[in-house]
Amino acid sequence: MIHNYNEPKYKNRRKNLLRTLTEKGIRDTKVLAAIEAVPRHLFIDSAFADSAYEDCALPIGFGQTISQPYTVARQTELLAPQPGERILEIGTGSGYQTAILCQLDAFVYSIERFPQLYQVSGKRLRTMGYRKLMLKSGDGTLGWAAYAPFNGIIVTAGAPVVPETLKQQLADGGRLIIPVGNNTTQTMLRITRIGDDFSTEEFSSFTFVPLIGHEGWNNSST
Ligand code: SAM
């Protein structure tokens, strides 16, 4: 499903962003096409619209951020969602990463801790025409058992450890993309389930807002 938002001003800025992402090492052409198709300026307050296609995180309220485009592209590239796959996202936030996954034709289940962000992003995604998604507000560290197992799980907040519940909700061959570390720097991990075994690959460092919940940080420890 490809939406086209062809306002010339933003279209040109998206092209420039693609160049930046390519220079930074993003290679997956489907991911780049999704970034080109999704209007990031509609996922943030209009006061920040002029910065929407700079490669930076921006505030979305409640102390949270829409992730940097490079981070979204890299996590999506590592997840490599295939059309029709069932993907669980932890941290809906603005809904931008959700839209990128929908654009790649995944069926997306997404959980957001803040009810207000869940409501705003849900309305936004439906208004934009995304239909293959299920959203809820709650603690994503506990996964979404009713819809498990998932072909992929993407965590868009920094975790102190890998939540065991999320590993157990992976299908055979499923991938969990999660930044794990302290409250300033996290290493991106890709954990792949093979039967009852899990293999872990480590990628570069990132800085995320904290994953707060039962199998994440305590509200008071960050
Ligand atoms: N994917 C988002 C986007 O594109 O805008 C990124 C948003 S931000 C980097 C991470 C989000 O994770 C925040 O909205 C935060 O409230 C949420 N979050 C943190 N802990 C969570 C948890 N346990 N369950 C669900 N959401 C959580």
Side-chain angles (χ1 to χ4, degrees):
M1 180 220 296
I2 298 288
H3 293 268
N4 275 318
Y5 292 86
N6 283 327
E7 321 86 321
K9 173 168 121 181
Y10 294 120
K11 198 178 161 197
N12 290 338
R13 290 181 187 180
R14 277 202 291 279
K15 284 264 183 237
N16 290 339
L17 175 60
L18 289 191
R19 211 166 301 126
T20 304
L21 297 180
T22 308
E23 281 165 13
K24 289 186 175 178
I26 301 301
R27 291 284 170 267
D28 188 324
T29 52
K30 288 189 202 147
V31 172
L32 290 168
I35 293 212
E36 185 168 13
V38 175
R40 189 171 185 257
H41 62 282
L42 299 183
F43 289 81
I44 50 178
D45 189 290
S46 56
F48 299 108
D50 271 348
S51 305
Y53 298 103
E54 286 166 23
D55 191 21
C56 60
L58 291 166
I60 56 171
F62 306 96
Q64 307 305 314
T65 54
I66 180 172
S67 298
Q68 184 184 345
Y70 172 75
T71 304
V72 172
R74 188 67 183 126
Q75 284 200 283
T76 311
E77 194 172 61
L78 292 174
L79 181 69
Q82 301 304 304
E85 280 196 334
R86 298 152 55 77
I87 305 295
L88 175 65
E89 177 193 20
I90 311 304
T92 318
S94 68
Y96 178 69
Q97 172 77 73
T98 318
I100 295 289
L101 296 169
C102 288
Q103 202 70 40
L104 291 165
D105 250 336
F107 195 108
V108 187
Y109 301 82
S110 186
I111 307 174
E112 169 54 48
R113 183 173 157 254
F114 284 98
Q116 299 92 330
L117 290 177
Y118 150 76
Q119 275 163 6
V120 170
S121 56
K123 193 170 168 208
R124 175 181 291 137
L125 288 160
R126 289 180 212 290
T127 303
M128 294 173 82
Y130 293 108
R131 292 284 178 270
K132 285 160 62 180
L133 77 175
M134 295 270 291
L135 306 176
K136 77 166 178 175
S137 181
D139 177 5
T141 68
L142 302 175
W144 201 338
Y147 294 104
F150 300 98
N151 304 106
I153 301 178
I154 179 169
V155 180
T156 71
V161 292
V162 179
E164 187 59 29
T165 304
L166 295 184
K167 284 170 68 175
Q168 294 306 330
Q169 291 188 11
L170 282 176
D172 197 7
R175 297 85 62 199
L176 166 60
I177 311 300
I178 181 167
V180 177
N182 58 32
N183 55 9
T184 52
T185 313
Q186 304 89 35
T187 302
M188 194 64 71
L189 304 183
R190 175 166 60 196
I191 295 159
T192 304
R193 181 172 199 159
I194 306 134
D196 287 334
D197 294 330
F198 296 89
S199 77
T200 301
E201 299 161 272
E202 286 191 15
F203 298 91
S204 48
S205 295
F206 291 82
T207 299
F208 282 83
V209 295
L211 179 75
I212 294 174
H214 190 70
E215 294 190 42
W217 295 99
N218 293 329
N219 215 346
S220 55
S221 63
T222 53

